[in-house]
Amino acid sequence: MNDILPADIAYWQHLENTARMLFAEYGFQEIRVPIVEHTSLFKRSIGEMTDIVEKEMYTFEDRSGDSLTLRPEATAGLVRAMISNGLLHNQRHKVWTTGPMFRHERPQKGRYRQFHQIDVEAFGFDGPDLDAELILMTARLWQRLGIQRLTLNINSLGTFQSRQAYREILRQYFKSHLDQLDADSLRRLENNPLRILDTKNPAMATLVAEAPLLTEYLDEESAAHFKTLCHHLDLAGISYVINPRLVRGLDYYSRTVFEWVTTELGSQDAVCSGGRYDGLVAQLGGDQTSAMGWALGEERIINLMQTQGVQIPANQTDVYIVLAGVQAEAAGLSLVERLRDQIPGCLIETNCGGGSFKSQLKRADKSGARYAVILGDSEAAQQVAILKNLRVESAQEQVTWALLAETLRQRLAN
Ligand code: ATP
Ligand code: MG
């Protein structure tokens, strides 16, 4: 679990601000839900036989003896919120949220126990046009952020019913190779053989690669849905790889699943993934409602922005106020408040805590400010200030308080 320090925060803010603006442009609204939910919610939605539920959840009993869990992902809690607030009776909603998620994984670069996701969900849309739009939105986000070289993998898992037939075929296949299965896979063989395809055990890579393909058992409607999605992506000029091995680590998906991957972050290569989950709302007690969503890992995206040298807007101080002397300090604070009224948006840092002219000017330089406004006791007595350009060698100017805001505005505009 990491501290996010001021030195890195500009990346976080840039990512979140860019996403927030983009989502508004696509008609998505923000929703904020609790970080803690009943443990049963995650068991019922993510699936008992998944890595998350079996090994990764932070689960505890509260003082009333209820089993609670720190959310390992956002979708389950969002669906719970939509149902319990009565928002899914024949309605359509496009929402997004962001915040910390918790998984007790082995920590390594790009894999943390508290990490952050930006999460998008759409409820009430059946057609592949929605699938396409959700994916186009991710592509546009990479473009806005200036992130390059991501690969889009897509697949269709079919409906729950069509998966049953495939499940049986897969079980037979793995059964005929029992000696090659690890302990996790042996356990999943009976209840959830599809999960075996999601294994991260390199020793099983060949076995998984040679397993029968789900694609060949897709029901007709799912196949048509997938074909139209591909067509929409083609028309939009989005390139993708159809990856029949992409099954995703959560049980609730149906039909479309996708994942954006990079080759630039080592083995933690997934930066964003999602899919359709048409059965989950009903499974959790709501009216039958089609739904689809995706989540991106903020740490991985920021890491990638840094690796690729993406430029982000700097939150740089514009003006540093040097106040040397008792009268200067007394007059200076209210002078600065007036400046803030007159130049909204200007980043003004006031020297607090005194110090000599020299030490204050050093701080002014270190702050990155373009200008210093310098006030000593004699300037305060005459109601003037000295304006000094900290970045370009030039003569200092004496400016009256009455003209200070206008002068600063002009200098900063150049
Ligand atoms: P992985 O295959 O890397 O374990 P996942 O399939 O478990 O990822 P999802 O549940 O789909 O991941 O979560 C969506 C995104 O959240 C991932 O694509 C990834 O960027 C990010 N993510 C998932 N787990 C972690 C983690 N422990 N630390 C940091 N980011 C994570
Ligand atoms: Mg995982």
Side-chain angles (χ1 to χ4, degrees):
M1 298 190 183
N2 298 306
D3 302 310
I4 301 168
L5 300 177
D8 281 326
I9 207 72
Y11 286 94
W12 290 82
Q13 292 178 341
H14 182 54
L15 168 58
E16 289 168 7
N17 291 341
T18 307
R20 180 175 290 120
M21 228 154 82
L22 187 77
F23 298 160
E25 289 172 33
Y26 278 82
F28 283 70
Q29 289 184 306
E30 185 176 358
I31 175 169
R32 301 185 187 186
V33 296
I35 286 173
V36 180
E37 296 278 355
H38 285 286
T39 304
S40 55
L41 173 71
F42 299 115
K43 288 194 173 164
R44 282 157 65 206
S45 54
I46 299 170
E48 299 261 8
M49 287 273 163
T50 57
D51 276 351
I52 293 181
V53 170
E54 281 188 334
K55 322 181 205 176
E56 297 174 0
M57 295 206 302
Y58 280 91
T59 297
F60 60 96
E61 241 180 47
D62 74 359
R63 285 168 190 273
S64 344
D66 291 332
S67 180
L68 302 181
T69 293
L70 296 181
R71 64 179 181 194
E73 54 97 60
T75 305
L78 274 182
V79 172
R80 196 270 313 136
M82 298 300 286
I83 297 172
S84 58
N85 289 285
L87 299 177
L88 295 180
H89 302 300
N90 257 325
Q91 296 168 64
R92 291 174 161 187
H93 289 282
K94 299 198 272 185
V95 296
W96 68 273
T97 196
T98 181
M101 310 294 154
F102 303 83
R103 296 183 194 177
H104 194 273
E105 302 200 66
R106 192 168 68 78
Q108 46 198 300
K109 193 173 162 57
R111 192 173 294 287
Y112 309 107
R113 290 182 172 178
Q114 175 174 333
F115 61 101
H116 300 78
Q117 288 185 340
I118 295 176
D119 185 271
V120 169
E121 315 283 347
F123 297 96
F125 300 85
D126 293 329
D129 50 346
L130 184 272
D131 306 34
E133 186 162 72
L134 282 189
I135 294 175
L136 293 179
M137 208 161 118
T138 55
R140 188 172 296 279
L141 182 58
W142 315 143
Q143 188 203 2
R144 288 267 171 98
L145 291 169
I147 292 177
Q148 294 171 332
R149 298 183 294 279
L150 288 180
T151 303
L152 172 63
N153 284 300
I154 59 174
N155 190 24
S156 177
L157 300 181
T159 59
F160 180 77
Q161 292 74 13
S162 74
R163 269 213 302 274
Q164 297 306 313
Y166 174 65
R167 200 174 290 245
E168 203 36 56
I169 284 154
L170 201 59
R171 188 179 290 126
Q172 292 313 321
Y173 168 77
F174 284 125
K175 264 193 173 160
S176 61
H177 298 86
L178 272 184
D179 52 325
Q180 296 175 50
L181 296 183
D182 61 15
D184 273 344
S185 305
L186 281 172
R187 208 155 24 81
R188 288 168 182 176
L189 186 58
E190 277 317 310
N191 291 322
N192 204 341
L194 250 82
R195 279 280 75 77
I196 302 177
L197 296 177
D198 201 39
T199 177
K200 292 202 166 65
N201 181 355
M204 289 180 45
T206 318
L207 183 66
V208 165
E210 287 168 4
L213 291 179
L214 171 58
T215 330
E216 285 154 28
Y217 300 88
L218 272 194
D219 55 290
E220 248 170 64
E221 271 181 54
S222 295
H225 185 104
F226 190 59
K227 201 171 153 208
T228 310
L229 166 63
C230 293
H231 185 57
H232 286 317
L233 294 177
D234 291 336
L235 287 178
I238 303 287
S239 29
Y240 54 88
V241 177
I242 297 177
N243 177 355
R245 295 292 167 212
L246 183 65
V247 292
R248 310 274 309 110
L250 306 91
D251 275 355
Y252 52 60
Y253 287 113
S254 56
R255 294 199 169 155
T256 310
V257 288
F258 71 96
E259 193 160 78
W260 286 95
V261 294
T262 170
T263 54
E264 296 169 46
L265 293 181
S267 51
Q268 269 48 260
D269 62 353
V271 295
C272 171
S273 39
R276 190 167 262 286
Y277 51 94
D278 292 339
L280 184 60
V281 174
Q283 189 189 318
L284 292 179
D287 296 350
Q288 167 57 40
T289 308
S290 305
M292 178 165 169
W294 56 258
L296 66 77
E298 292 194 71
E299 282 82 357
R300 292 185 195 176
I301 290 289
I302 287 168
N303 198 337
L304 198 57
M305 285 160 68
Q306 292 169 335
T307 307
Q308 297 190 352
V310 164
Q311 294 298 314
I312 53 166
N315 247 357
Q316 192 94 338
T317 306
D318 295 312
V319 180
Y320 193 95
I321 312 284
V322 171
L323 302 175
V326 178
Q327 275 96 45
E329 211 175 274
L333 288 178
S334 50
L335 177 66
V336 175
E337 286 306 307
R338 249 177 291 143
L339 284 180
R340 294 190 196 282
D341 288 338
Q342 291 164 321
I343 334 176
C346 187
L347 274 72
I348 307 176
E349 191 179 339
T350 308
N351 186 87
C352 288
S356 66
F357 272 116
K358 201 172 153 213
S359 62
Q360 292 196 35
L361 276 169
K362 253 193 200 155
R363 285 184 211 141
D365 186 49
K366 221 177 132 195
S367 75
R370 286 175 63 199
Y371 286 91
V373 168
I374 304 168
L375 220 64
D377 286 345
S378 62
E379 283 80 18
Q382 299 169 57
Q383 305 214 338
V384 296
I386 309 289
L387 190 57
K388 180 180 166 64
N389 189 328
L390 294 168
R391 305 299 148 197
V392 181
E393 196 70 48
S394 56
Q396 301 186 356
E397 299 173 69
Q398 184 172 298
V399 184
T400 64
W401 289 359
L403 291 177
L404 188 55
E406 189 47 39
T407 313
L408 271 175
R409 208 196 312 262
Q410 281 173 15
R411 297 293 180 276
L412 289 169
N414 292 320

